[in-house]
Amino acid sequence: MKKNILLMLLFIVILLSSCSLTPYSRSEFMMDTQCVITVYSRDDLDKLDDVFSSLRDIERMVSRYDEGSDVFRINEAAGVRAVRVSEETFTLIARAKEISLITGGAFNPLLGKISDMWNFTGTEHHIPSQDELESIIAAAGDMDNLVLDEEECSVYLASACLSLDLGGIAKGYASEKAAAMLAGEGVEKAIINLGGNIYAVGSRSSAEGWRIGLQNPDSSEGGYFTVVNASDEAVVTSGSYQRYFMSDGVVYHHILDPSTGYPAQTDLASVSVINSDGTLADALSTALFVMGSADAGAFCTEHGIKAVLLTVDGEISYLGIDGAEG
Ligand code: AMP
Ligand code: MG
């Protein structure tokens, strides 16, 4: 099962490469997914060592399972005490809180205990009862329970039933940081793909951006359902098809509705957000998926967010961008 999920993640977004460019890729498994960086000059390959090393640092910082990580220590001290963290961790958590508030709680980084109960990444799945979920949902629904002290650079989870989970935002942050590092090294063209969190560095040519195909969620059909243009932008996709299990014919996927603790019941099959801010794009793709097409559309219009929504009925909405190109 896990292997199948990983294979799916590899193909979330299909890059439409240019015939005139020669790609040089390096790939590593981290952050529970396959991370691939492609550059278009052989000389740029050497620059990837530092970038992969930085990605590993981010993984160590946000992992919920690595005993030394900031997030592990915050979760261990939930309901007991505040934990000092690195400035980088603090900034990312502050961002997660801010986006949770902007999205009316659709993005919620405090659902770690609930995700653990479902155990989407493991083999032994569990369908939690309302009783099991009730107190966690109530505590997670109050963002004041995520206490941030900027002066102390500390984070405190004010209830023992809370657990921080940055899985909905960390890969977008990592892709953006990798893109900034490459640009800082003078790399003009690159594609960073962290399990479907794409960052398109530079452009394909002076005339046009990168063309990125968005995967058809129906794996039996394969391929992509549309193509978007991106230049120095992230293209981040969230979908129910990315990680799920089936029980008694019912599909249980990994994107949770914070108001129920159950997989979001939404009319959307996939959401892709295009934004130069990879962190925002990642968190928003998760939040918009939870909101469903009507609220997601209104949110994007109000906040000027570029996105592609695909409903389970196959209807595509292009928000802030032109329609399909191929
Ligand atoms: P993504 O693939 O970016 O949509 O993120 C999904 C991951 O974020 C899940 O595997 C969980 O770790 C976490 N998650 C699930 N539901 C939510 C939510 N409503 N808000 C924030 N993070 C979530
Ligand atoms: Mg996300």
Side-chain angles (χ1 to χ4, degrees), residues 107 167-169 197 236 238 281-286:
F107 181 81
I169 192 171
N197 282 250
V236 182
S238 288
D282 191 2
L284 284 187
S285 69
T286 309

Side-chain angles (χ1 to χ4, degrees), residues 1 15 41 49 179 189 239 241 251 321:
M1 179 71 186
L15 297 168
S41 153
D49 287 346
K189 295 182 202 306
Y241 63 96
V251 173
I321 54 172

Side-chain angles (χ1 to χ4, degrees), residues 64 105-109 111 115 165-169 197 236-239 242-243 254-258 282 285-286 290:
R64 286 195 291 140
F107 181 81
N108 189 321
L111 304 175
S115 283
D165 173 8
L166 299 177
I169 192 171
N197 282 250
V236 182
T237 299
S238 288
Q242 291 172 345
R243 206 183 278 274
H254 70 137
I255 303 179
L256 301 171
D257 181 340
D282 191 2
S285 69
T286 309
V290 172

Side-chain angles (χ1 to χ4, degrees), residues 33-318:
T33 195
Q34 199 65 34
C35 299
V36 186
I37 302 184
T38 305
V39 290
Y40 294 87
S41 153
R42 195 187 287 277
D43 294 345
D44 288 342
L45 269 176
D46 289 346
K47 297 168 184 159
L48 298 185
D49 287 346
D50 284 351
V51 177
F52 274 100
S53 154
S54 168
L55 292 179
R56 271 191 295 275
D57 288 345
I58 295 173
E59 179 178 29
R60 248 173 259 131
M61 169 180 115
V62 301
S63 166
R64 286 195 291 140
Y65 308 108
D66 181 337
E67 297 202 2
S69 82
D70 282 348
V71 169
F72 184 94
R73 292 185 307 112
I74 292 166
N75 289 343
E76 221 183 16
V80 180
R81 62 185 160 76
V83 171
R84 268 181 188 263
V85 296
S86 71
E87 255 178 59
E88 191 174 9
T89 306
F90 186 88
T91 307
L92 183 59
I93 295 172
R95 202 76 210 290
K97 180 171 179 174
E98 178 199 323
I99 298 171
S100 181
L101 295 172
I102 305 170
T103 58
F107 181 81
N108 189 321
L110 299 179
L111 304 175
K113 281 246 164 39
I114 301 184
S115 283
D116 283 347
M117 278 182 194
W118 286 98
N119 195 19
F120 293 107
T121 47
T123 46
E124 300 284 307
H125 306 299
H126 168 66
I127 300 170
S129 67
Q130 298 290 338
D131 274 0
E132 285 174 277
L133 296 171
E134 215 167 6
S135 53
I136 308 177
I137 291 167
D142 182 357
M143 252 327 117
D144 286 347
N145 282 330
L146 175 55
V147 184
L148 303 179
D149 184 330
E150 199 170 351
E151 257 176 36
E152 292 291 323
C153 204
S154 72
V155 180
Y156 172 51
L157 297 178
S159 162
C161 69
L162 292 177
S163 166
L164 196 60
D165 173 8
L166 299 177
I169 192 171
K171 286 199 277 287
Y173 168 71
S175 70
E176 181 187 333
K177 186 168 179 189
M181 285 180 79
L182 288 176
E185 286 291 322
V187 174
E188 288 178 1
K189 295 182 202 306
I191 298 288
I192 297 154
N193 185 353
L194 311 183
N197 282 250
I198 305 281
Y199 206 107
V201 177
S203 299
R204 186 176 170 219
S205 70
S206 56
E208 54 186 347
W210 294 103
R211 301 176 68 229
I212 296 179
L214 306 182
Q215 188 190 327
N216 192 337
D218 186 343
S219 55
S220 62
E221 288 183 24
Y224 49 89
F225 69 90
T226 194
V227 179
V228 295
N229 248 301
S231 300
D232 286 319
E233 283 170 308
V235 179
V236 182
T237 299
S238 288
S240 47
Y241 63 96
Q242 291 172 345
R243 206 183 278 274
Y244 63 88
F245 68 87
M246 279 183 85
S247 174
D248 291 333
V250 179
V251 173
Y252 296 95
H253 64 78
H254 70 137
I255 303 179
L256 301 171
D257 181 340
S259 68
T260 63
Y262 265 60
Q265 300 271 343
T266 168
D267 62 342
L268 291 170
S270 109
V271 174
S272 301
V273 176
I274 301 128
N275 202 291
S276 57
D277 181 336
T279 311
L280 180 70
D282 191 2
L284 284 187
S285 69
T286 309
L288 296 175
F289 184 86
V290 172
M291 288 180 197
S293 64
D295 287 353
F299 182 95
C300 290
T301 306
E302 185 188 341
H303 294 272
I305 299 296
K306 294 197 281 184
V308 179
L309 310 181
L310 174 69
T311 68
V312 287
D313 297 331
E315 202 174 301
I316 307 172
S317 304
Y318 297 91

